[in-house]
Amino acid sequence: MQNLNTPIGHLFTVLLDCYGPQKWWPCQTGARWEIITGAILTQNTAWTNVEKAIGNLLAVDVMSPEKVLETSDDKLQELIRPAGFFKQKCAYLKAVAAFMLERESAFEQSTDMWALRKELLSVKGVGRETADSILLYAFNKPIFVIDAYTRRVAERHLRLDGTLHYDTLQKIFMDAWPADVTIYNEYHALIVALCKESCHKSGCGEICKNLFDAPVLIERLS
């Protein structure tokens, strides 16, 4: 399914053997709107804070585009306060909610992923990482998500420049094998697992050191 004859393909296999299928996106209901909500709220905060905010929204049944738009700004801000930047994210959630009420059906049916991405990027508060998370995890479109974890692993273990433009780094990962929603989903989740457990911002832990050696890997597969 994936191209193992590249460092990117091999790393995926190594991580999958280590951690097993992740079956992402992490959410309580599995509903599309909860995934979209998480993609907005996770901007500039830890996922544990997002879980608290989503728990608040679920507790009062504000977990649909309609309910978000019906809720006052003050109330919505208080519900999502644990995720930080709550005034901005309130505006973002309402903008995305209005957009989805109008365009969700079209997103389900369309196969023009890049046109859909362009539409999402025009919505207030939706940047590349957020748009791609929504496309991949909420609509099952074959696009690879680039985040800080991806950049860290790419630089440390794949000898890629972690400062590359988002779209450039994304293309490198997506060109490693034919478009595959399952692989893109799992790979991103596996990278997150590695970074949470070993590949920390402050440096690599034992799993990184024992799991693979980047120079040897590159030489063997180049």
Side-chain angles (χ1 to χ4, degrees), residues 31-41 93 96 100 134 138-139:
R32 175 176 290 153
W33 181 250
E34 185 185 340
I35 295 171
I36 294 172
T37 298
I40 297 294
L41 295 183
L93 276 177
V96 175
M100 283 299 160
I134 291 171
F139 289 96

Side-chain angles (χ1 to χ4, degrees), residues 69-87:
L69 292 172
E70 291 170 3
T71 303
S72 70
D73 286 359
D74 288 345
K75 182 176 180 181
L76 186 58
Q77 288 171 17
E78 190 58 32
L79 291 169
I80 66 173
R81 181 182 288 269
F85 302 96
F86 51 89
K87 290 185 179 180

Side-chain angles (χ1 to χ4, degrees), residues 146-155 162-166 169:
I146 300 296
D147 58 10
Y149 292 151
T150 314
R151 291 184 180 279
R152 187 185 307 164
V153 169
E155 187 166 291
T163 66
L164 285 171
H165 187 275
Y166 184 105
L169 188 56

Side-chain angles (χ1 to χ4, degrees), residues 21-34:
Q22 300 296 293
K23 303 185 186 300
W24 256 35
W25 179 273
C27 65
Q28 297 182 44
T29 66
R32 175 176 290 153
W33 181 250
E34 185 185 340

Side-chain angles (χ1 to χ4, degrees), residues 100-119:
M100 283 299 160
L101 281 178
E102 180 180 348
R103 297 293 294 156
E104 183 174 3
S105 294
F107 268 56
E108 289 177 332
Q109 297 169 17
S110 177
T111 58
D112 190 345
M113 181 180 70
W114 298 107
L116 299 179
R117 187 181 195 250
K118 185 175 181 179
E119 284 192 58

